[in-house]
Amino acid sequence: MTDQTYGQTALAFLRLQSWLSPSFPNGAYSYSHGLEWAVEAGYVSDRRSLIDWLEADLCYGSGRNEAIFFSEAYRCVAEGAEDQLPELAELAAASRGTSEFVLESAQQSSACLTTLRSVWPDRILDMFLDPKCPPTVLAVLLGARAARERIAVDIALPAFLHSYVANLVSAGVRLVPLGQTDGQLAIAALELPILSRSEIASRETVDDLGSAGLMVELASIAHELQYTRLFRS
């Protein structure tokens, strides 16, 4: 590897870290993806049950599909099939199972797109401004943008899923509540599931989309009527 190639790779990785950082202004901290109701109902009450809940979502629920959408968006750009992105964005947007998931997805992706265009502009981002292109989701947007940076998918996808899980662990730490060390232990326990799901998703297509994480969907529906709420989903 030449010094120039190393510099370009390092720069791309720094950008990926910025996009997935808790400090990135996409409002992710205000959403719990139904976890708030799961805590209220007693399904999540400690570190072990938090890990179980998030692993199920990651491997069998909405997290599973997000990994596929990220991988497919990455593949569209990497293989020069960018004209397929609007259709993929439409499918991803339609896959939101509840009104709160629609709000969660639309708000985060819109904020992310605005910031990316302001700070790290790229022609691929303009495709998501086309009136013919439906509101996208974070997985499609970041999958496409990571491909433009030529970040290997076997790095970009696990990093994306790690960010997805870490945000929900942070919500769990506040809701249960748990200590900060318990939160980090939960993230560490989810490392292998993240890597496994990433490896599988990199070989999957939209034909493999599907979910058996019904409790996450039901939790989101119940959260809409939850009396006391800290989170918007």
Side-chain angles (χ1 to χ4, degrees):
M1 180 181 293
T2 65
D3 289 344
Q4 182 179 8
T5 301
Y6 174 79
Q8 291 171 341
T9 302
L11 178 60
F13 186 69
L14 286 179
R15 290 178 175 178
L16 181 65
Q17 284 189 302
S18 295
W19 305 338
L20 300 178
S21 166
S23 66
F24 192 85
N26 65 1
Y29 65 88
S30 61
Y31 296 94
S32 80
H33 206 67
L35 184 60
E36 185 166 20
W37 180 84
V39 172
E40 175 79 12
Y43 289 103
V44 175
S45 58
D46 55 18
R47 173 171 32 106
R48 183 66 261 170
S49 55
L50 176 63
I51 293 169
D52 289 343
W53 181 274
L54 295 182
E55 184 174 0
D57 179 49
L58 178 67
C59 296
Y60 308 108
S62 52
R64 175 185 185 277
N65 287 336
E66 296 304 275
I68 295 174
F69 284 127
F70 186 102
S71 179
E72 279 285 77
Y74 187 102
R75 188 178 299 116
C76 286
V77 175
E79 297 180 357
E82 297 169 6
D83 59 320
Q84 296 177 14
L85 281 175
E87 183 178 354
L88 181 64
E90 182 176 13
L91 178 61
S95 73
R96 310 299 100 171
T98 71
S99 62
E100 287 196 349
F101 284 172
V102 170
L103 174 67
E104 176 182 292
S105 176
Q107 191 276 331
Q108 290 187 53
S109 60
S110 176
C112 180
L113 179 58
T114 298
T115 303
L116 286 178
R117 293 187 70 247
S118 297
V119 184
W120 296 279
D122 186 89
R123 64 171 182 80
I124 201 69
L125 300 175
D126 296 336
M127 295 189 64
F128 298 106
L129 296 175
D130 190 328
K132 298 179 182 179
C133 183
T136 188
V137 302
L138 211 56
V140 173
L141 181 61
L142 291 179
R145 190 62 183 85
R148 286 287 295 165
E149 291 290 335
R150 298 185 179 181
I151 303 168
V153 70
D154 57 359
I155 294 176
L157 181 50
F160 170 76
L161 291 182
H162 183 275
S163 175
Y164 174 89
V165 164
N167 182 66
L168 295 181
V169 167
S170 177
V173 166
R174 285 173 278 171
L175 288 166
V176 173
L178 298 173
Q180 294 297 328
T181 300
D182 270 335
Q184 294 305 305
L185 287 169
I187 291 174
L190 291 164
E191 288 174 349
L192 292 182
I194 287 171
L195 292 176
S196 175
R197 178 90 292 271
S198 299
E199 195 278 328
I200 295 170
S202 68
R203 296 182 275 106
E204 292 179 321
T205 69
V206 292
D207 293 335
D208 298 294
L209 289 169
S211 172
L214 296 180
M215 279 305 299
V216 176
E217 308 287 336
L218 292 174
S220 175
I221 293 171
H223 185 267
E224 295 181 24
L225 301 177
Q226 193 169 330
Y227 181 71
T228 302
R229 305 194 306 178
L230 296 175
F231 294 86
R232 300 183 69 187
S233 73

